[in-house]
């Protein structure tokens, strides 16, 4: 099931570039998430949006800026990144009923980011 | 806070062998949820199963089965008659009623099924 799509699938950028990652979900969900997966580390939750409002920011540096214009789309704007930001960035979505945060999360294929 | 431990970093088996992936969790929540995800080389995390803490019934889905035991805080995953296509990284995860949307993942087990 390709319920959650992400573009681009691969991205190489320099430290001075500005780029954006895009996530779109086709599941009718209302909650969306950004995760970072680095080599040799567990997945790290970055941001959570529920009904377009940011509900969690897991102490993410300001060089990562999320945007959720509607319940189906989620962006991650990147600027002045560091080489250690190279990772797989995964987007997920869940039902997101108000007051209920324990719904199953469904993931996209990820964007493999390399910062030179 | 939640913690998930997958002690097996890598497992290698020959096709048609059965294999069990271990998962041990820690939680202070009375109500919590446990998950297994599969991550093939393509990168996408594929949802496999969700169990609620108040339902210890084991589950079987085709060649997959899950053994949930609250007494040992374990949620193990068995693949019967493994196939090459089962090769992937498998993640166990937990979500507690007090942890918001914070899904806690284990470090994953790399399963390689050789022909």
């Amino acid at each position: 099931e390709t319920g959650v799509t992400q573009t681009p699938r691969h991205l190489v950028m320099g430290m001075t570039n500005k780029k954006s990652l895009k996530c779109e979900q086709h599941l009718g969900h209302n909650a969306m998430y950004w995760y970072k997966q680095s080599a040799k580390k567990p997945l790290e939750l970055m941001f959570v949006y529920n009904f377009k409002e940011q509900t969690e920011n897991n102490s993410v540096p300001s060089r990562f800026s999320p945007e959720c214009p509607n319940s189906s789309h989620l962006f991650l704007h990147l600027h002045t990144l560091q080489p250690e930001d190279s990772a797989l960035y995964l987007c997920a979505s869940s039902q997101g009923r108000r007051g209920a945060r324990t719904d199953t999360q469904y993931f996209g294929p990820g964007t493999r980011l390399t910062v030179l | 806070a939640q913690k998930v431990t997958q002690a097996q970093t890598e497992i290698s088996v020959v096709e048609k062998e059965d294999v069990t992936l271990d998962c041990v969790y820690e939680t202070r929540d009375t109500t919590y949820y446990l998950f297994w995800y599969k991550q093939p080389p393509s990168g996408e995390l594929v949802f496999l199963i969700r169990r609620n803490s108040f339902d210890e019934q084991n589950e079987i889905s085709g060649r997959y089965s899950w053994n949930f035991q609250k007494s040992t805080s374990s949620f193990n995953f068995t693949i019967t008659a493994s196939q090459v296509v089962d090769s992937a990284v498998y993640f166990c995860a937990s979500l507690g009623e007090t942890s918001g949307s914070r899904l806690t993942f284990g470090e994953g087990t790399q399963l390689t099924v050789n022909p």
Side-chain angles (χ1 to χ4, degrees):
Chain A
E1 182 181 43
T2 55
V4 181
T5 59
Q6 291 185 244
T7 55
R9 294 295 309 277
H10 300 271
L11 178 62
V12 179
M13 60 186 289
M15 290 190 285
T16 57
N17 290 158
K18 290 185 180 181
K19 296 287 184 183
S20 295
L21 310 185
K22 178 183 176 182
C23 174
E24 183 173 0
Q25 59 91 5
H26 311 272
L27 300 170
H29 290 165
N30 294 295
M32 297 187 77
Y33 311 75
W34 280 116
Y35 284 85
K36 176 182 179 182
Q37 186 179 27
S38 305
K40 311 285 186 185
K41 286 186 177 181
L43 277 83
E44 303 171 55
L45 178 66
M46 300 175 72
F47 301 103
V48 180
Y49 278 83
N50 201 15
F51 288 86
K52 298 191 295 180
E53 292 182 12
Q54 188 181 118
T55 54
E56 291 198 43
N57 176 338
N58 193 20
S59 302
V60 180
S62 59
R63 57 185 184 271
F64 294 91
S65 175
E67 179 190 1
C68 188
N70 54 62
S71 292
S72 299
H73 294 86
L74 184 65
F75 296 89
L76 188 62
H77 304 300
L78 316 171
H79 62 97
T80 59
L81 294 192
Q82 305 297 312
E84 59 263 31
D85 296 323
S86 299
L88 179 67
Y89 288 85
L90 290 159
C91 174
S93 72
S94 69
Q95 189 71 33
R97 293 162 292 163
R98 293 192 190 279
R101 299 185 177 184
T102 56
D103 296 317
T104 299
Q105 296 175 27
Y106 296 88
F107 287 79
T111 295
R112 176 73 61 187
L113 174 67
T114 303
V115 182
L116 302 177
Chain B
Q2 313 282 316
K3 183 179 178 182
V4 177
T5 303
Q6 294 180 255
Q8 304 149 308
T9 305
E10 296 182 23
I11 299 177
S12 182
V13 299
V14 177
E15 210 170 13
K16 297 185 182 177
E17 283 186 27
D18 298 346
V19 58
T20 295
L21 309 181
D22 298 332
C23 173
V24 174
Y25 64 91
E26 294 178 33
T27 180
R28 294 182 180 178
D29 289 311
T30 303
T31 301
Y32 53 90
Y33 306 85
L34 301 171
F35 304 82
W36 276 96
Y37 286 88
K38 173 183 179 180
Q39 188 175 40
S42 59
E44 180 176 0
L45 274 169
V46 179
F47 165 71
L48 296 178
I49 190 170
R50 166 194 173 107
R51 297 306 280 173
N52 304 328
S53 55
F54 44 86
D55 182 3
E56 276 192 84
Q57 190 171 13
N58 292 327
E59 183 155 338
I60 298 175
S61 176
R63 295 184 297 107
Y64 295 171
S65 62
W66 292 270
N67 184 355
F68 176 25
Q69 292 196 352
K70 290 179 77 169
S71 61
T72 55
S73 298
S74 64
F75 186 42
N76 296 337
F77 173 30
T78 297
I79 302 175
T80 304
S82 60
Q83 299 176 3
V84 173
V85 293
D86 295 327
S87 297
V89 181
Y90 289 86
F91 290 94
C92 181
S94 71
L95 183 62
E97 60 180 343
T98 63
S99 54
S101 306
R102 199 171 296 271
L103 192 59
T104 300
F105 286 87
E107 297 198 7
T109 297
Q110 169 72 62
L111 173 65
T112 303
V113 181
N114 298 298

